[in-house]
Amino acid sequence: MAFPNLVLLLTLFSFLLLFRSTQSKLSADYYNKTCPKFQNIMQTILAEKQLSAPTTAAATLRVFFHDCFVNGCDSSMLIASNAFNKSERDANVNLSVAGDAFDLITRVKTALELGCPGVVSCSDILAVSARDLVVMVGGPFYEVVLGRKDSRESNPSIVDKNLPKALTPMNELLSLFSSKGFSAEEMVALVGAHTIGFSHCKEFANRIFNFSKTSEFDPAYNPVFAQGLRKLCANYTKSPAMSAFNDVYTPGKFDNMYYKNLQIGLGLLSSDQAMVTDNRTKPFVD
């Protein structure tokens, strides 16, 4: 069954790939001559990794988004910190990114370096990995043009102002996405990536504990869902790794259940649930 919002979502992902890449001539067959086994090598490792660690798809998609929204899809998110410089990866908002994504890129890059040394960029590896993993978990295929170059700089100080957070108000969310060239409809589609993956309890604890003087939890939640989250996250301050699926029904499937969940009070994050109450975004959720 095809879902129009998902097609739009994947079209937007492909649009993200063009950020700051206009100086290079990108093409779908960029590596056909210089690394003819590029796709085969990638698909083998991606399949093995996703099967052994099902969180890989969501983690990689998140890394891809976080990379693209900060100075473009240049793999600056993949640069590690050292004694002389902190990188984007160590910005507060990126500390919760699952390590499976970085492990995957390292595995793919290592294999490609053995097959065609010094040819394939990490930026292209990340872009294709995000696309192929989305397909593996049920999303539609979309073309990724290749040939982008890797950044040699990674500045954590510019990360926070460029990425949306769980508690970011709707006005600021719309403004942020607008600054990147995306409409309200496109923002709703992109946030639909939350159809896979999970969020740590600290990201929504404000909605389930001591929400107000009259309610322990946010009344926008389905009450049964809220009680379940309260039990799940009861000890989250002692166990910061505690988390919940963004989509309680089909957490590992790339579908449109995320939007249906928002309509019945099953939106996990404040920023998610706000999209179904704000008149600027609700029509697109619906």
Side-chain angles (χ1 to χ4, degrees):
M1 182 177 182
F3 301 114
N5 260 23
L6 296 185
V7 176
L8 176 58
L9 171 60
L10 271 299
T11 301
L12 293 171
F13 283 152
S14 63
F15 176 71
L16 281 174
L17 298 173
L18 299 178
F19 277 2
R20 291 175 62 87
S21 60
T22 54
Q23 294 179 349
S24 300
K25 292 183 178 180
L26 307 183
S27 65
D29 59 357
Y30 188 82
Y31 296 115
N32 282 9
K33 293 181 179 180
T34 56
C35 192
K37 293 184 179 180
F38 168 68
Q39 291 289 355
N40 289 337
I41 291 173
M42 286 209 60
Q43 288 175 4
T44 298
I45 297 176
L46 289 171
E48 292 175 350
K49 178 63 178 177
Q50 179 63 20
L51 285 172
S52 63
T55 60
T56 300
T60 304
L61 191 54
R62 186 181 182 203
V63 168
F64 175 54
F65 178 79
H66 283 212
D67 182 50
C68 290
F69 250 51
V70 180
N71 282 350
C73 309
D74 58 2
S75 75
S76 56
M77 175 71 174
L78 302 178
I79 297 175
S81 296
N82 56 39
F84 306 100
N85 182 65
K86 291 287 186 182
S87 70
E88 290 175 25
R89 197 187 302 190
D90 286 322
N92 287 335
V93 70
N94 288 330
L95 293 178
S96 61
V97 174
D100 284 318
F102 301 114
D103 176 65
L104 170 68
I105 304 304
T106 299
R107 292 189 188 194
V108 175
K109 179 63 172 174
T110 300
L112 287 170
E113 285 301 304
L114 292 173
C116 38
V119 174
V120 183
S121 68
C122 288
S123 303
D124 282 342
I125 291 172
L126 179 56
V128 174
S129 294
R131 187 273 311 279
D132 286 356
L133 287 166
V134 163
V135 173
M136 286 181 193
V137 294
F141 177 89
Y142 60 98
E143 186 177 87
V144 174
V145 287
L146 305 167
R148 61 190 56 75
K149 308 303 179 184
D150 293 336
S151 173
R152 296 186 180 183
E153 299 178 357
S154 187
N155 184 359
S157 67
I158 62 174
V159 172
D160 279 353
K161 65 182 180 181
N162 278 291
L163 290 177
K165 318 290 191 309
L167 298 178
T168 303
M170 183 55 65
N171 283 341
E172 291 182 26
L173 285 174
L174 289 168
S175 177
L176 173 60
F177 278 81
S178 177
S179 72
K180 309 293 184 181
F182 296 111
S183 67
E185 180 181 13
E186 291 168 335
M187 183 193 79
V188 171
L190 282 171
V191 178
H194 286 172
T195 188
I196 56 175
F198 59 86
S199 295
H200 292 95
C201 291
K202 68 175 183 178
E203 301 294 339
F204 53 89
N206 67 302
R207 298 188 67 199
I208 57 176
F209 298 118
N210 303 314
F211 180 75
S212 69
K213 293 181 179 180
T214 58
S215 178
E216 280 293 317
F217 57 85
D218 185 348
Y221 269 134
N222 176 293
V224 176
F225 184 50
Q227 292 297 348
L229 291 175
R230 284 168 58 83
K231 291 180 180 178
L232 174 69
C233 299
N235 296 315
Y236 83 96
T237 56
K238 297 179 180 178
S239 303
M242 292 299 297
S243 58
F245 289 122
N246 294 322
D247 172 1
V248 68
Y249 281 115
T250 57
K253 185 179 180 182
F254 202 95
D255 57 16
N256 74 336
M257 187 57 70
Y258 163 81
Y259 299 104
K260 295 180 179 180
N261 289 341
L262 295 184
Q263 295 173 320
I264 56 175
L266 299 179
L268 189 64
L269 306 176
S270 296
S271 54
D272 289 346
Q273 196 62 47
M275 293 199 307
V276 80
T277 57
D278 192 289
N279 290 332
R280 293 167 292 182
T281 52
K282 185 180 186 302
F284 307 123
V285 172
D286 294 340

